[in-house]
Amino acid sequence: MALLEPRRLVADEGLVSALRIAGRALRNPSALRRVLHMRRDFQRHSAHLGAISLLAVPTPSRP
């Protein structure tokens, strides 16, 4: 999982967006701790992680 690796973040989001994300994390210590904890867990369990996905299906609105 390279999701939170700096090179991958720039490749996925672009340089400006990656810098914006990093700036927000640096200004918010609790957010920075969460991101670093997630990154550490991704690295620690990289042999057992392949992907993370989310599927959302809208529910039909009822009158």
Side-chain angles (χ1 to χ4, degrees):
M1 290 284 307
L3 182 65
L4 294 176
E5 295 297 328
R7 283 185 186 205
R8 179 65 183 266
L9 188 61
V10 170
D12 289 346
E13 301 294 334
L15 181 60
V16 174
S17 292
L19 290 173
R20 189 177 305 128
I21 292 167
R24 286 186 194 140
L26 290 172
R27 286 191 302 270
N28 186 337
S30 64
L32 180 60
R33 274 193 304 275
R34 286 191 306 267
V35 169
L36 292 176
H37 183 79
M38 284 189 298
R39 184 171 184 262
R40 187 176 60 239
D41 285 342
F42 284 172
Q43 290 174 336
R44 182 180 300 146
H45 301 291
S46 64
H48 303 288
L49 291 173
I52 296 174
S53 65
L54 174 66
L55 175 66
V57 179
T59 57
S61 59
R62 296 183 181 175

Short mmCIF file of all heavy atoms in Angstrom, two decimals:
data_model
loop_
_atom_site.label_atom_id
_atom_site.label_comp_id
_atom_site.label_asym_id
_atom_site.label_seq_id
_atom_site.Cartn_x
_atom_site.Cartn_y
_atom_site.Cartn_z
N MET A 1 0.85 -1.18 0.00
CA MET A 1 0.00 0.00 0.00
C MET A 1 0.89 1.24 0.00
O MET A 1 1.59 1.49 0.94
CB MET A 1 -0.88 0.02 1.23
CG MET A 1 -1.97 -1.02 1.28
SD MET A 1 -3.37 -0.69 0.24
CE MET A 1 -3.82 0.94 0.71
N ALA A 2 0.82 1.96 -1.05
CA ALA A 2 1.62 3.17 -1.17
C ALA A 2 0.75 4.42 -1.03
O ALA A 2 1.16 5.52 -1.38
CB ALA A 2 2.35 3.18 -2.50
N LEU A 3 -0.44 4.24 -0.51
CA LEU A 3 -1.42 5.32 -0.46
C LEU A 3 -0.90 6.59 0.21
O LEU A 3 -1.13 7.69 -0.27
CB LEU A 3 -2.67 4.83 0.27
CG LEU A 3 -3.84 5.78 0.39
CD1 LEU A 3 -4.39 6.07 -1.00
CD2 LEU A 3 -4.91 5.19 1.26
N LEU A 4 -0.17 6.45 1.30
CA LEU A 4 0.30 7.62 2.04
C LEU A 4 1.78 7.88 1.83
O LEU A 4 2.39 8.62 2.61
CB LEU A 4 -0.01 7.46 3.53
CG LEU A 4 -1.50 7.45 3.86
CD1 LEU A 4 -1.73 7.19 5.34
CD2 LEU A 4 -2.17 8.74 3.45
N GLU A 5 2.38 7.31 0.81
CA GLU A 5 3.77 7.60 0.48
C GLU A 5 3.80 8.91 -0.31
O GLU A 5 2.96 9.13 -1.18
CB GLU A 5 4.37 6.47 -0.36
CG GLU A 5 4.47 5.15 0.38
CD GLU A 5 5.38 5.21 1.59
OE1 GLU A 5 6.37 5.96 1.56
OE2 GLU A 5 5.10 4.50 2.56
N PRO A 6 4.75 9.78 -0.02
CA PRO A 6 4.78 11.10 -0.68
C PRO A 6 4.77 11.02 -2.21
O PRO A 6 4.02 11.77 -2.85
CB PRO A 6 6.08 11.72 -0.16
CG PRO A 6 6.29 11.07 1.17
CD PRO A 6 5.78 9.67 1.01
N ARG A 7 5.56 10.15 -2.81
CA ARG A 7 5.58 10.06 -4.28
C ARG A 7 4.22 9.65 -4.83
O ARG A 7 3.77 10.17 -5.84
CB ARG A 7 6.61 9.04 -4.75
CG ARG A 7 8.01 9.55 -4.69
CD ARG A 7 8.95 8.53 -5.27
NE ARG A 7 10.30 8.98 -5.09
CZ ARG A 7 11.31 8.62 -5.85
NH1 ARG A 7 11.10 7.78 -6.83
NH2 ARG A 7 12.51 9.08 -5.62
N ARG A 8 3.59 8.70 -4.18
CA ARG A 8 2.28 8.23 -4.64
C ARG A 8 1.21 9.31 -4.46
O ARG A 8 0.34 9.49 -5.31
CB ARG A 8 1.89 6.96 -3.89
CG ARG A 8 0.56 6.39 -4.26
CD ARG A 8 0.55 5.91 -5.72
NE ARG A 8 -0.73 5.43 -6.11
CZ ARG A 8 -1.11 4.16 -6.06
NH1 ARG A 8 -0.27 3.25 -5.65
NH2 ARG A 8 -2.31 3.82 -6.44
N LEU A 9 1.30 10.04 -3.35
CA LEU A 9 0.34 11.12 -3.10
C LEU A 9 0.45 12.19 -4.19
O LEU A 9 -0.57 12.65 -4.72
CB LEU A 9 0.59 11.74 -1.72
CG LEU A 9 -0.42 12.75 -1.23
CD1 LEU A 9 -1.80 12.12 -1.11
CD2 LEU A 9 0.01 13.32 0.10
N VAL A 10 1.68 12.55 -4.57
CA VAL A 10 1.87 13.53 -5.64
C VAL A 10 1.37 12.97 -6.96
O VAL A 10 0.71 13.67 -7.74
CB VAL A 10 3.35 13.96 -5.74
CG1 VAL A 10 3.60 14.79 -6.99
CG2 VAL A 10 3.76 14.74 -4.49
N ALA A 11 1.65 11.69 -7.24
CA ALA A 11 1.20 11.08 -8.49
C ALA A 11 -0.33 11.03 -8.57
O ALA A 11 -0.91 11.26 -9.63
CB ALA A 11 1.78 9.67 -8.63
N ASP A 12 -0.98 10.73 -7.45
CA ASP A 12 -2.44 10.61 -7.43
C ASP A 12 -3.14 11.96 -7.41
O ASP A 12 -4.15 12.15 -8.09
CB ASP A 12 -2.90 9.80 -6.21
CG ASP A 12 -2.57 8.33 -6.32
OD1 ASP A 12 -2.21 7.88 -7.43
OD2 ASP A 12 -2.67 7.63 -5.30
N GLU A 13 -2.63 12.88 -6.61
CA GLU A 13 -3.34 14.14 -6.35
C GLU A 13 -2.77 15.34 -7.10
O GLU A 13 -3.45 16.35 -7.21
CB GLU A 13 -3.33 14.45 -4.85
CG GLU A 13 -3.95 13.39 -3.98
CD GLU A 13 -5.44 13.24 -4.21
OE1 GLU A 13 -6.08 14.23 -4.63
OE2 GLU A 13 -5.96 12.15 -3.98
N GLY A 14 -1.53 15.24 -7.56
CA GLY A 14 -0.85 16.39 -8.15
C GLY A 14 -0.07 17.12 -7.08
O GLY A 14 -0.37 17.04 -5.89
N LEU A 15 0.94 17.87 -7.51
CA LEU A 15 1.83 18.53 -6.56
C LEU A 15 1.11 19.55 -5.69
O LEU A 15 1.27 19.57 -4.47
CB LEU A 15 2.99 19.19 -7.30
CG LEU A 15 4.02 19.89 -6.43
CD1 LEU A 15 4.66 18.90 -5.45
CD2 LEU A 15 5.07 20.57 -7.27
N VAL A 16 0.30 20.39 -6.29
CA VAL A 16 -0.38 21.45 -5.54
C VAL A 16 -1.32 20.86 -4.49
O VAL A 16 -1.31 21.28 -3.32
CB VAL A 16 -1.14 22.40 -6.49
CG1 VAL A 16 -1.96 23.41 -5.71
CG2 VAL A 16 -0.16 23.11 -7.42
N SER A 17 -2.11 19.88 -4.88
CA SER A 17 -3.05 19.26 -3.93
C SER A 17 -2.30 18.51 -2.83
O SER A 17 -2.70 18.54 -1.67
CB SER A 17 -4.00 18.31 -4.65
OG SER A 17 -4.86 19.04 -5.49
N ALA A 18 -1.21 17.84 -3.18
CA ALA A 18 -0.42 17.13 -2.18
C ALA A 18 0.17 18.10 -1.17
O ALA A 18 0.17 17.84 0.04
CB ALA A 18 0.69 16.32 -2.85
N LEU A 19 0.66 19.24 -1.65
CA LEU A 19 1.19 20.25 -0.73
C LEU A 19 0.09 20.83 0.15
O LEU A 19 0.31 21.11 1.33
CB LEU A 19 1.88 21.36 -1.51
CG LEU A 19 3.20 20.96 -2.18
CD1 LEU A 19 3.71 22.09 -3.06
CD2 LEU A 19 4.23 20.56 -1.14
N ARG A 20 -1.10 21.00 -0.41
CA ARG A 20 -2.23 21.51 0.37
C ARG A 20 -2.60 20.51 1.48
O ARG A 20 -2.82 20.90 2.63
CB ARG A 20 -3.43 21.74 -0.55
CG ARG A 20 -4.56 22.46 0.12
CD ARG A 20 -5.71 22.75 -0.84
NE ARG A 20 -5.26 23.50 -2.01
CZ ARG A 20 -5.50 23.14 -3.27
NH1 ARG A 20 -6.20 22.06 -3.54
NH2 ARG A 20 -5.05 23.87 -4.28
N ILE A 21 -2.63 19.23 1.13
CA ILE A 21 -2.94 18.19 2.12
C ILE A 21 -1.89 18.18 3.22
O ILE A 21 -2.20 18.13 4.41
CB ILE A 21 -3.04 16.81 1.44
CG1 ILE A 21 -4.28 16.76 0.53
CG2 ILE A 21 -3.08 15.68 2.46
CD1 ILE A 21 -4.30 15.58 -0.42
N ALA A 22 -0.61 18.22 2.82
CA ALA A 22 0.48 18.22 3.80
C ALA A 22 0.41 19.46 4.69
O ALA A 22 0.61 19.36 5.92
CB ALA A 22 1.82 18.15 3.08
N GLY A 23 0.10 20.61 4.11
CA GLY A 23 -0.01 21.84 4.90
C GLY A 23 -1.11 21.76 5.94
O GLY A 23 -0.93 22.17 7.08
N ARG A 24 -2.24 21.21 5.54
CA ARG A 24 -3.35 21.06 6.49
C ARG A 24 -2.96 20.11 7.63
O ARG A 24 -3.29 20.36 8.79
CB ARG A 24 -4.58 20.53 5.79
CG ARG A 24 -5.27 21.55 4.94
CD ARG A 24 -6.55 20.99 4.38
NE ARG A 24 -7.05 21.84 3.32
CZ ARG A 24 -7.59 21.40 2.20
NH1 ARG A 24 -7.72 20.11 1.99
NH2 ARG A 24 -8.01 22.23 1.30
N ALA A 25 -2.30 19.02 7.28
CA ALA A 25 -1.89 18.06 8.30
C ALA A 25 -0.88 18.69 9.27
O ALA A 25 -0.95 18.46 10.48
CB ALA A 25 -1.30 16.81 7.66
N LEU A 26 0.04 19.48 8.74
CA LEU A 26 1.04 20.11 9.59
C LEU A 26 0.44 21.15 10.53
O LEU A 26 0.95 21.38 11.62
CB LEU A 26 2.14 20.75 8.74
CG LEU A 26 3.05 19.76 8.02
CD1 LEU A 26 3.96 20.50 7.05
CD2 LEU A 26 3.85 18.94 9.00
N ARG A 27 -0.66 21.78 10.11
CA ARG A 27 -1.31 22.79 10.96
C ARG A 27 -2.24 22.17 11.99
O ARG A 27 -2.69 22.86 12.91
CB ARG A 27 -2.08 23.78 10.10
CG ARG A 27 -1.19 24.75 9.36
CD ARG A 27 -1.98 25.89 8.75
NE ARG A 27 -3.01 25.44 7.83
CZ ARG A 27 -2.84 25.26 6.52
NH1 ARG A 27 -1.67 25.46 5.98
NH2 ARG A 27 -3.83 24.88 5.76
N ASN A 28 -2.56 20.90 11.83
CA ASN A 28 -3.48 20.24 12.75
C ASN A 28 -2.78 19.03 13.37
O ASN A 28 -2.74 17.96 12.76
CB ASN A 28 -4.74 19.81 11.99
CG ASN A 28 -5.80 19.24 12.89
OD1 ASN A 28 -5.50 18.78 13.99
ND2 ASN A 28 -7.03 19.26 12.42
N PRO A 29 -2.20 19.17 14.56
CA PRO A 29 -1.41 18.09 15.16
C PRO A 29 -2.17 16.76 15.30
O PRO A 29 -1.59 15.70 15.10
CB PRO A 29 -1.02 18.63 16.53
CG PRO A 29 -1.11 20.12 16.39
CD PRO A 29 -2.21 20.36 15.40
N SER A 30 -3.45 16.81 15.64
CA SER A 30 -4.19 15.55 15.79
C SER A 30 -4.38 14.87 14.44
O SER A 30 -4.29 13.64 14.35
CB SER A 30 -5.53 15.77 16.48
OG SER A 30 -6.37 16.58 15.69
N ALA A 31 -4.62 15.63 13.39
CA ALA A 31 -4.73 15.05 12.04
C ALA A 31 -3.40 14.47 11.61
O ALA A 31 -3.34 13.37 11.02
CB ALA A 31 -5.21 16.09 11.05
N LEU A 32 -2.31 15.16 11.89
CA LEU A 32 -0.98 14.67 11.53
C LEU A 32 -0.69 13.35 12.23
O LEU A 32 -0.18 12.41 11.62
CB LEU A 32 0.09 15.71 11.88
CG LEU A 32 1.52 15.31 11.55
CD1 LEU A 32 1.68 15.06 10.07
CD2 LEU A 32 2.48 16.39 12.03
N ARG A 33 -1.04 13.25 13.52
CA ARG A 33 -0.84 11.99 14.25
C ARG A 33 -1.62 10.85 13.62
O ARG A 33 -1.12 9.74 13.47
CB ARG A 33 -1.25 12.16 15.72
CG ARG A 33 -0.17 12.71 16.59
CD ARG A 33 -0.51 12.57 18.07
NE ARG A 33 -1.79 13.18 18.44
CZ ARG A 33 -1.94 14.46 18.73
NH1 ARG A 33 -0.91 15.28 18.71
NH2 ARG A 33 -3.13 14.93 19.06
N ARG A 34 -2.89 11.13 13.23
CA ARG A 34 -3.71 10.09 12.60
C ARG A 34 -3.12 9.63 11.28
O ARG A 34 -3.04 8.43 11.00
CB ARG A 34 -5.14 10.58 12.40
CG ARG A 34 -5.96 10.66 13.66
CD ARG A 34 -7.44 10.89 13.39
NE ARG A 34 -7.70 12.05 12.56
CZ ARG A 34 -7.95 13.28 13.01
NH1 ARG A 34 -7.97 13.50 14.31
NH2 ARG A 34 -8.19 14.26 12.19
N VAL A 35 -2.68 10.58 10.46
CA VAL A 35 -2.10 10.24 9.16
C VAL A 35 -0.82 9.44 9.34
O VAL A 35 -0.61 8.42 8.67
CB VAL A 35 -1.84 11.52 8.33
CG1 VAL A 35 -1.00 11.21 7.10
CG2 VAL A 35 -3.15 12.16 7.92
N LEU A 36 0.04 9.87 10.25
CA LEU A 36 1.29 9.14 10.47
C LEU A 36 1.04 7.75 11.05
O LEU A 36 1.74 6.80 10.71
CB LEU A 36 2.22 9.95 11.39
CG LEU A 36 2.77 11.24 10.78
CD1 LEU A 36 3.60 12.00 11.81
CD2 LEU A 36 3.56 10.96 9.52
N HIS A 37 0.03 7.63 11.89
CA HIS A 37 -0.32 6.32 12.44
C HIS A 37 -0.83 5.40 11.33
O HIS A 37 -0.45 4.23 11.26
CB HIS A 37 -1.38 6.48 13.53
CG HIS A 37 -1.75 5.20 14.20
ND1 HIS A 37 -0.96 4.64 15.18
CD2 HIS A 37 -2.78 4.37 14.02
CE1 HIS A 37 -1.52 3.51 15.57
NE2 HIS A 37 -2.64 3.32 14.87
N MET A 38 -1.68 5.92 10.44
CA MET A 38 -2.17 5.12 9.31
C MET A 38 -1.01 4.69 8.42
O MET A 38 -0.93 3.54 8.00
CB MET A 38 -3.19 5.90 8.49
CG MET A 38 -4.55 6.00 9.11
SD MET A 38 -5.78 6.68 8.00
CE MET A 38 -5.14 8.32 7.69
N ARG A 39 -0.11 5.64 8.13
CA ARG A 39 1.04 5.33 7.27
C ARG A 39 1.91 4.24 7.90
O ARG A 39 2.35 3.32 7.22
CB ARG A 39 1.85 6.60 7.03
CG ARG A 39 2.99 6.40 6.07
CD ARG A 39 3.59 7.76 5.71
NE ARG A 39 4.63 7.58 4.72
CZ ARG A 39 5.93 7.53 5.01
NH1 ARG A 39 6.34 7.64 6.26
NH2 ARG A 39 6.82 7.37 4.07
N ARG A 40 2.15 4.36 9.21
CA ARG A 40 2.95 3.36 9.91
C ARG A 40 2.28 1.99 9.86
O ARG A 40 2.92 0.97 9.61
CB ARG A 40 3.17 3.79 11.36
CG ARG A 40 4.13 2.90 12.11
CD ARG A 40 4.42 3.41 13.51
NE ARG A 40 3.20 3.48 14.31
CZ ARG A 40 2.74 4.59 14.87
NH1 ARG A 40 3.38 5.73 14.74
NH2 ARG A 40 1.63 4.57 15.59
N ASP A 41 0.95 1.95 10.05
CA ASP A 41 0.24 0.68 9.97
C ASP A 41 0.27 0.10 8.56
O ASP A 41 0.42 -1.11 8.38
CB ASP A 41 -1.21 0.84 10.43
CG ASP A 41 -1.32 0.96 11.93
OD1 ASP A 41 -0.36 0.59 12.64
OD2 ASP A 41 -2.38 1.41 12.40
N PHE A 42 0.13 0.96 7.54
CA PHE A 42 0.22 0.48 6.16
C PHE A 42 1.59 -0.14 5.91
O PHE A 42 1.70 -1.19 5.26
CB PHE A 42 -0.01 1.62 5.17
CG PHE A 42 -1.44 2.04 5.02
CD1 PHE A 42 -1.75 3.16 4.28
CD2 PHE A 42 -2.48 1.34 5.61
CE1 PHE A 42 -3.07 3.57 4.11
CE2 PHE A 42 -3.80 1.74 5.46
CZ PHE A 42 -4.08 2.85 4.71
N GLN A 43 2.65 0.51 6.39
CA GLN A 43 3.99 -0.02 6.20
C GLN A 43 4.19 -1.31 6.97
O GLN A 43 4.77 -2.28 6.46
CB GLN A 43 5.04 1.01 6.61
CG GLN A 43 5.12 2.19 5.67
CD GLN A 43 6.06 3.26 6.17
OE1 GLN A 43 6.33 3.37 7.37
NE2 GLN A 43 6.54 4.08 5.24
N ARG A 44 3.72 -1.35 8.20
CA ARG A 44 3.89 -2.52 9.06
C ARG A 44 3.19 -3.74 8.49
O ARG A 44 3.71 -4.85 8.56
CB ARG A 44 3.36 -2.22 10.46
CG ARG A 44 3.57 -3.37 11.43
CD ARG A 44 3.04 -3.05 12.81
NE ARG A 44 3.73 -1.88 13.34
CZ ARG A 44 3.17 -0.96 14.13
NH1 ARG A 44 1.90 -1.07 14.45
NH2 ARG A 44 3.85 0.05 14.58
N HIS A 45 2.02 -3.56 7.92
CA HIS A 45 1.22 -4.68 7.43
C HIS A 45 1.20 -4.76 5.90
O HIS A 45 0.30 -5.39 5.33
CB HIS A 45 -0.21 -4.56 7.96
CG HIS A 45 -0.29 -4.54 9.45
ND1 HIS A 45 0.00 -5.64 10.22
CD2 HIS A 45 -0.59 -3.54 10.31
CE1 HIS A 45 -0.13 -5.33 11.49
NE2 HIS A 45 -0.49 -4.07 11.58
N SER A 46 2.20 -4.18 5.25
CA SER A 46 2.19 -4.10 3.79
C SER A 46 2.16 -5.48 3.12
O SER A 46 1.58 -5.62 2.04
CB SER A 46 3.40 -3.32 3.29
OG SER A 46 4.59 -3.99 3.63
N ALA A 47 2.73 -6.47 3.76
CA ALA A 47 2.73 -7.81 3.16
C ALA A 47 1.33 -8.42 3.12
O ALA A 47 1.07 -9.32 2.33
CB ALA A 47 3.66 -8.74 3.94
N HIS A 48 0.43 -7.91 3.95
CA HIS A 48 -0.91 -8.47 4.04
C HIS A 48 -2.00 -7.56 3.48
O HIS A 48 -3.17 -7.90 3.52
CB HIS A 48 -1.25 -8.80 5.50
CG HIS A 48 -0.25 -9.73 6.12
ND1 HIS A 48 -0.17 -11.06 5.79
CD2 HIS A 48 0.73 -9.49 7.01
CE1 HIS A 48 0.81 -11.61 6.47
NE2 HIS A 48 1.37 -10.68 7.22
N LEU A 49 -1.59 -6.37 2.99
CA LEU A 49 -2.55 -5.43 2.43
C LEU A 49 -2.41 -5.40 0.92
O LEU A 49 -1.32 -5.32 0.40
CB LEU A 49 -2.32 -4.03 2.98
CG LEU A 49 -2.63 -3.82 4.46
CD1 LEU A 49 -2.19 -2.42 4.88
CD2 LEU A 49 -4.11 -3.98 4.70
N GLY A 50 -3.53 -5.45 0.24
CA GLY A 50 -3.50 -5.36 -1.21
C GLY A 50 -4.20 -4.11 -1.69
O GLY A 50 -3.71 -3.39 -2.54
N ALA A 51 -5.33 -3.81 -1.11
CA ALA A 51 -6.10 -2.65 -1.53
C ALA A 51 -7.19 -2.38 -0.51
O ALA A 51 -7.58 -3.25 0.25
CB ALA A 51 -6.72 -2.88 -2.90
N ILE A 52 -7.66 -1.17 -0.56
CA ILE A 52 -8.81 -0.78 0.25
C ILE A 52 -9.82 -0.21 -0.73
O ILE A 52 -9.47 0.59 -1.59
CB ILE A 52 -8.43 0.29 1.29
CG1 ILE A 52 -7.43 -0.27 2.29
CG2 ILE A 52 -9.67 0.81 2.00
CD1 ILE A 52 -6.90 0.75 3.26
N SER A 53 -11.05 -0.64 -0.62
CA SER A 53 -12.06 -0.11 -1.54
C SER A 53 -13.31 0.28 -0.76
O SER A 53 -13.57 -0.22 0.32
CB SER A 53 -12.40 -1.13 -2.62
OG SER A 53 -13.01 -2.26 -2.05
N LEU A 54 -14.06 1.16 -1.36
CA LEU A 54 -15.31 1.62 -0.79
C LEU A 54 -16.32 1.66 -1.91
O LEU A 54 -16.06 2.20 -2.99
CB LEU A 54 -15.13 3.03 -0.19
CG LEU A 54 -16.37 3.72 0.32
CD1 LEU A 54 -16.92 2.99 1.52
CD2 LEU A 54 -16.05 5.15 0.66
N LEU A 55 -17.45 1.06 -1.66
CA LEU A 55 -18.52 1.04 -2.66
C LEU A 55 -19.73 1.70 -2.05
O LEU A 55 -20.19 1.32 -0.98
CB LEU A 55 -18.83 -0.40 -3.05
CG LEU A 55 -20.00 -0.60 -4.01
CD1 LEU A 55 -19.68 0.00 -5.36
CD2 LEU A 55 -20.31 -2.05 -4.15
N ALA A 56 -20.26 2.69 -2.76
CA ALA A 56 -21.44 3.39 -2.29
C ALA A 56 -22.53 3.24 -3.33
O ALA A 56 -22.30 3.44 -4.52
CB ALA A 56 -21.14 4.85 -2.05
N VAL A 57 -23.71 2.87 -2.90
CA VAL A 57 -24.86 2.73 -3.80
C VAL A 57 -25.96 3.62 -3.28
O VAL A 57 -26.39 3.48 -2.14
CB VAL A 57 -25.34 1.25 -3.85
CG1 VAL A 57 -26.53 1.12 -4.75
CG2 VAL A 57 -24.21 0.34 -4.28
N PRO A 58 -26.40 4.57 -4.09
CA PRO A 58 -27.46 5.48 -3.61
C PRO A 58 -28.78 4.72 -3.42
O PRO A 58 -29.10 3.82 -4.19
CB PRO A 58 -27.58 6.52 -4.71
CG PRO A 58 -27.00 5.89 -5.92
CD PRO A 58 -26.00 4.87 -5.45
N THR A 59 -29.46 5.05 -2.38
CA THR A 59 -30.77 4.46 -2.16
C THR A 59 -31.82 5.28 -2.89
O THR A 59 -31.71 6.51 -2.97
CB THR A 59 -31.12 4.41 -0.66
OG1 THR A 59 -31.03 5.72 -0.15
CG2 THR A 59 -30.13 3.52 0.08
N PRO A 60 -32.82 4.64 -3.44
CA PRO A 60 -33.85 5.40 -4.15
C PRO A 60 -34.62 6.28 -3.17
O PRO A 60 -34.91 5.88 -2.04
CB PRO A 60 -34.74 4.34 -4.76
CG PRO A 60 -34.36 3.05 -4.16
CD PRO A 60 -33.04 3.21 -3.48
N SER A 61 -34.93 7.47 -3.62
CA SER A 61 -35.70 8.37 -2.76
C SER A 61 -37.18 7.98 -2.82
O SER A 61 -37.68 7.54 -3.85
CB SER A 61 -35.52 9.82 -3.19
OG SER A 61 -35.94 9.97 -4.52
N ARG A 62 -37.82 8.11 -1.71
CA ARG A 62 -39.25 7.76 -1.64
C ARG A 62 -40.08 9.02 -1.49
O ARG A 62 -39.74 9.90 -0.72
CB ARG A 62 -39.50 6.84 -0.46
CG ARG A 62 -38.76 5.52 -0.62
CD ARG A 62 -39.08 4.60 0.51
NE ARG A 62 -38.33 3.36 0.32
CZ ARG A 62 -38.32 2.38 1.18
NH1 ARG A 62 -39.00 2.47 2.27
NH2 ARG A 62 -37.62 1.29 0.92
N PRO A 63 -41.17 9.08 -2.22
CA PRO A 63 -42.03 10.30 -2.14
C PRO A 63 -42.77 10.41 -0.82
O PRO A 63 -42.94 9.62 -0.02
CB PRO A 63 -43.03 10.14 -3.27
CG PRO A 63 -42.87 8.77 -3.81
CD PRO A 63 -41.65 8.16 -3.19
#
